[in-house]
Amino acid sequence: MPTSKTLPYDVIIVGAGINGCTSAYFLSQAGLRVALVDKTGIAAGGSGAAGAFISPKFHKQGPLKELMDVAYNEAIEFYTNVLPSHTLLKPLVHMSQEDNEEPVYLEKSAIVDARAACEALAEGIDFYRLDIQSPFYRDNMWHCGDLQSSHLVLTIGAYPKILPVDYVGLRGIWGHRIDITTSTDIPHIFHHFVSISPTLKEGVIAIGATHNVHYSPFDFDITYDIEAGRSELIEKALKTLKLYNIKILKDYTGLRSGSNDYMPMLGSLVDVSATQALHPHLQHGKAVDPKEFIYYPQLTMINGSGGYGFVLAPYLAKCLKEYLADGIPLDEAISPSRYFSRWAKRKKG
Ligand SMILES: Cc1cc2nc3c(=O)[nH]c(=O)nc-3n(C[C@H](O)[C@H](O)[C@H](O)COP(=O)(O)OP(=O)(O)OC[C@H]3O[C@@H](n4cnc5c(N)ncnc54)[C@H](O)[C@@H]3O)c2cc1C
């Protein structure tokens, strides 16, 4: 544990998944003094479970596809240049679950060793194992336990919120990945009912999916049935390929967090009570320019990347760095405040 924890940092990042680790990497490369904090460890959340395929969004046109195309190209370049030993370039075959659609063959695709990538990005950055609850801003500083910083970045994925920002609608979706060996040769990455892929470990094949909307580790009445999860993954994989002599090596599970409109979130957070007090007519549906909302000072959130956290992280972290180090404004289209007015109206009464 670093010893200089009483000194203020430029930035504290809470959450050491791929978003937190990539942000820490970009910000420290820009010369900022960064503390990375996680209650469990690096890549302890959804990031540690991810198959971590780097692929674009197929089909459907629109703003999400456009953003994903930019992020996908940046991600391929980032992982191959910055983390070459944790990145395996492989072509991808994307097969639609609808019978009438042709498979898509993509030459430029990759799989990243999720945990090793996060650890490599966090290397050399002050890391603290702390459970941060209710961080607060006083005397121009964010306070997280004994740590202080000018700016706070929240990258806590699908975990319970640590500030009262209920308007930020995020859905946690549970996923399960297994590493297996099989005597079947798998030359490509396959995306079909589940993902099937070679990995950086010689002879090890990963099969994974995030699809379970009914299970949450925060719902203590339900336990996840790992055996049933494995069987489901293998049953679905067998609909794509004949896999012989399967031996299961390891399970990885975790939650990913998706936004209601599937766009990721990068931006400041609205201080709900201060904004509602200033604009009481919001509850009657009166339009207020988001510029007039009151935001938590010096705070940015990255979240809601859905099943594309590894694809989006380098792009989002680069934008965060440009915002904090170079003063370039963030894209309002992906600001979490986009949900606020509607939420405030619904909260009426
Ligand atoms: C099985 C599976 C397969 C996937 N496959 C892919 C894929 O192929 N490609 C892809 O791009 N994406 C994939 N994803 C999605 C991707 O993993 C997520 O989008 C990504 O991991 C989100 O990263 P994150 O950093 O936002 O959150 P997380 O990785 O969940 O990190 C959040 C961290 O915050 C910490 N934390 C939470 N609360 C606190 C607190 N109060 N104090 C301190 N620390 C706290 C947690 O311990 C955790 O480590 C997959 C996900 C799963 C589960």
Side-chain angles (χ1 to χ4, degrees):
M1 171 156 302
T3 51
S4 55
K5 68 178 183 178
T6 48
L7 289 176
Y9 285 93
D10 293 318
V11 185
I12 297 173
I13 300 173
V14 182
I18 190 63
N19 279 316
C21 293
T22 319
S23 298
Y25 173 83
F26 272 87
L27 296 178
S28 65
Q29 289 285 308
L32 299 183
R33 210 167 159 262
V34 178
L36 181 62
V37 176
D38 199 288
K39 62 178 170 186
T40 311
I42 289 172
S47 298
F53 303 105
I54 308 305
S55 58
K57 202 156 180 58
F58 292 96
H59 309 304
K60 290 188 189 125
Q61 298 301 318
L64 177 59
K65 163 107 176 103
E66 282 164 30
L67 173 73
M68 289 298 308
D69 282 348
V70 173
Y72 152 73
N73 283 310
E74 291 202 9
I76 291 279
E77 203 178 313
F78 176 79
Y79 292 112
T80 46
N81 290 334
V82 178
L83 300 169
S85 54
H86 303 306
T87 305
L88 179 68
L89 288 167
K90 280 275 166 197
L92 180 146
V93 179
H94 176 87
M95 299 155 84
S96 166
Q97 295 182 20
E98 316 297 325
D99 282 343
N100 54 354
E101 286 182 27
E102 285 294 306
V104 180
Y105 178 84
L106 180 74
E107 186 66 44
K108 199 173 70 169
S109 182
I111 178 165
V112 173
D113 183 331
R115 185 171 294 276
C118 290
E119 284 168 357
L121 291 167
E123 216 171 280
I125 288 161
D126 287 359
F127 176 77
Y128 299 89
R129 190 179 297 243
L130 292 172
D131 185 349
I132 303 298
Q133 297 299 328
S134 312
F136 62 93
Y137 190 72
R138 185 186 294 151
D139 300 331
N140 298 322
M141 284 284 157
W142 277 100
H143 296 253
C144 295
D146 289 343
L147 301 175
Q148 293 179 29
S149 65
S150 320
H151 199 96
L152 181 65
V153 173
L154 298 182
T155 50
I156 61 168
Y159 287 75
K161 297 184 175 95
I162 58 175
L163 287 170
V165 287
D166 289 351
Y167 71 92
V168 179
L170 286 164
R171 265 180 326 139
I173 299 187
W174 185 249
H176 187 167
R177 183 186 120 212
I178 48 177
D179 280 353
I180 65 157
T181 53
T182 165
S183 53
T184 307
D185 180 42
I186 315 280
H188 306 310
I189 302 168
F190 290 91
H191 283 184
H192 195 193
F193 299 103
V194 290
S195 303
I196 310 166
S197 165
T199 67
L200 282 143
K201 290 175 205 122
E202 189 63 36
V204 176
I205 301 300
I207 302 177
T210 48
H211 50 182
N212 194 331
V213 288
H214 303 296
Y215 175 74
S216 164
F218 307 117
D219 183 342
F220 299 107
D221 290 338
I222 320 174
T223 43
Y224 180 65
D225 185 340
I226 204 115
E227 285 294 343
R230 284 175 175 182
S231 306
E232 191 180 337
L233 284 175
I234 291 183
E235 194 182 304
K236 287 185 175 171
L238 291 172
K239 288 199 221 170
T240 308
L241 291 172
K242 287 198 188 324
L243 300 171
Y244 296 105
N245 305 312
I246 295 173
K247 191 171 151 214
I248 295 174
L249 302 178
K250 197 165 175 182
D251 297 270
Y252 307 80
T253 52
L255 271 182
R256 66 168 165 88
S257 77
S259 69
N260 295 340
D261 57 10
Y262 303 103
M263 291 286 262
M265 295 181 204
L266 165 62
S268 311
L269 289 174
V270 176
D271 180 330
V272 173
S273 50
T275 303
Q276 283 180 322
L278 186 68
H279 301 291
H281 38 279
L282 266 167
Q283 63 171 312
H284 305 302
K286 187 156 181 250
V288 174
D289 187 329
K291 288 193 180 68
E292 291 179 31
F293 296 160
I294 297 179
Y295 293 89
Y296 286 97
Q298 303 298 326
L299 182 146
T300 314
M301 184 188 84
I302 302 181
N303 211 321
S305 308
Y308 290 91
F310 279 77
V311 182
L312 284 159
Y315 170 75
L316 296 175
K318 186 200 73 179
C319 295
L320 176 70
K321 175 257 158 191
E322 289 173 348
Y323 171 57
L324 292 184
D326 311 327
I328 298 174
L330 295 171
D331 178 359
E332 291 194 0
I334 56 172
S335 165
S337 68
R338 65 189 186 265
Y339 303 110
F340 182 67
S341 294
R342 220 156 148 213
W343 176 88
K345 187 179 166 196
R346 273 208 318 267
K347 279 307 267 184
K348 182 178 168 184

